Amino acid sequence: MDLRRKLIVKPGTAVRLKNVDASYHAHYKSEHEAEKDIENHQARVGEHQQKLYAEKKHALLIVLQGIDAAGKDGTCWHVMKAMNPQGTSVQGFKQPTEEEKLHDFLWRVHPHTPGRGQVGVFNRSHYEDVLVTRVHELVPKKIWSNRYDLINDFEKMLVANNVTILKFFLYITPEEQLERFRQRLDDPARQWKISDSDYKEREYWDKYTNAYQDMMEKCSTKHASWYIIPSNNKWFRNLAVSNIIWKTLQDMNLAFPEPTVDIEKIREEYHQAKEKNL
């Protein structure tokens, strides 16, 4: 099964989130039924990431966006745990610092893009600058509307340097968000996630929806496509993201590099060392 065809935002197509079923779960009837496939996907992601790390010819950038409580942190925990942390980094982009405000909006992003052999995860990303800045009118329209082309050029440049980009929009309904807010209130282990802005931001739901739609319409390209991940069911979110990552890594035709030493000579040295220990 390859969920890319089902969930991709094809370049040039209109995005209407009201037509997306946030509770979609493919042919799986329950989390229990999907557990084995989730484990298999994670194992395959781990296997391919080892080759990516060893080969050092390619890099992978994973971008996570979504409304509050959509599951960006959960995706990092449950999907990225399949990867070797030695070759993986996670970076969040929230309100820019005073120093960052003095530069162009991509200045703070570029240093965190992955080098060859690495996987980089953006928990929120450069797209905040066409989302929050737009919804809250932090900059004039003529500024944020020009950023789509700048983002596309930026991502095209990364791809030209062997960085594969996967962009996931985690989609939940307003009802599901409210239920997750309730769970946070009732669970002491989740209360740390509660923010003063949770309900204030919720009031901008329609404006965020329009911003997300435009973001995907204008920036889902052949070189860096967006995927809409139905996320009302956390288990399907994890299955879909891990499936797409696995299939994408598989398409890179990764391989362990040839050894840089004379294996037969090293084998001889090993046997000599072993004999001395007898």
Side-chain angles (χ1 to χ4, degrees), residues 261-272:
V261 297
D262 185 335
I263 292 296
E264 292 307 315
K265 180 182 178 181
I266 298 299
R267 194 186 306 278
E268 182 179 340
E269 292 177 355
Y270 162 76
H271 287 299
Q272 290 174 355

Side-chain angles (χ1 to χ4, degrees), residues 26-43:
H27 64 275
Y28 300 94
K29 297 179 181 179
S30 66
E31 179 177 4
H32 176 72
E33 186 177 317
E35 280 179 356
K36 186 174 182 180
D37 280 349
I38 294 173
E39 292 174 0
N40 288 338
H41 294 350
Q42 289 177 329

Side-chain angles (χ1 to χ4, degrees), residues 112-140:
H112 300 287
T113 57
R116 294 184 184 94
Q118 301 288 314
V119 177
V121 183
F122 285 178
N123 185 347
R124 298 183 188 271
S125 68
H126 43 299
Y127 284 96
E128 291 296 293
D129 290 286
V130 291
L131 294 170
V132 176
T133 53
R134 169 181 172 170
V135 170
H136 290 282
E137 301 179 355
L138 300 179
V139 298

Side-chain angles (χ1 to χ4, degrees), residues 144-157:
W144 62 255
S145 61
N146 287 330
R147 289 176 175 172
Y148 298 115
D149 288 338
L150 294 172
I151 288 172
N152 287 337
D153 289 341
F154 173 65
E155 293 178 349
K156 189 174 183 179
M157 181 268 294

Side-chain angles (χ1 to χ4, degrees), residues 35-78:
E35 280 179 356
K36 186 174 182 180
D37 280 349
I38 294 173
E39 292 174 0
N40 288 338
H41 294 350
Q42 289 177 329
R44 288 163 180 162
V45 166
E47 291 169 3
H48 286 294
Q49 191 237 347
Q50 281 189 322
K51 295 177 182 178
L52 179 95
Y53 179 76
E55 193 178 43
K56 287 182 170 54
K57 291 183 179 179
H58 303 270
L60 176 64
L61 174 60
I62 299 169
V63 174
L64 301 174
Q65 290 289 161
I67 203 76
D68 292 336
K72 297 179 291 295
D73 291 345
T75 302
C76 287
W77 279 100
H78 293 285

Side-chain angles (χ1 to χ4, degrees), residues 248-259:
T248 300
L249 287 169
Q250 187 178 53
D251 286 351
M252 293 183 191
N253 295 315
L254 302 165
F256 289 114
E258 292 296 321

Side-chain angles (χ1 to χ4, degrees), residues 1 21 25 57 98 110 115 118 122 136 143 150 198 278:
M1 179 180 64
D21 180 5
H25 46 75
K57 291 183 179 179
E98 291 303 315
H110 202 163
Q118 301 288 314
F122 285 178
H136 290 282
I143 292 179
L150 294 172
D198 285 345
L278 293 177

Side-chain angles (χ1 to χ4, degrees), residues 60-61 63 155-156 158-159 163-167 223-225:
L60 176 64
L61 174 60
V63 174
E155 293 178 349
K156 189 174 183 179
L158 293 178
V159 171
V163 181
T164 296
I165 304 173
L166 290 175
K167 301 182 294 192
H223 56 270
S225 298

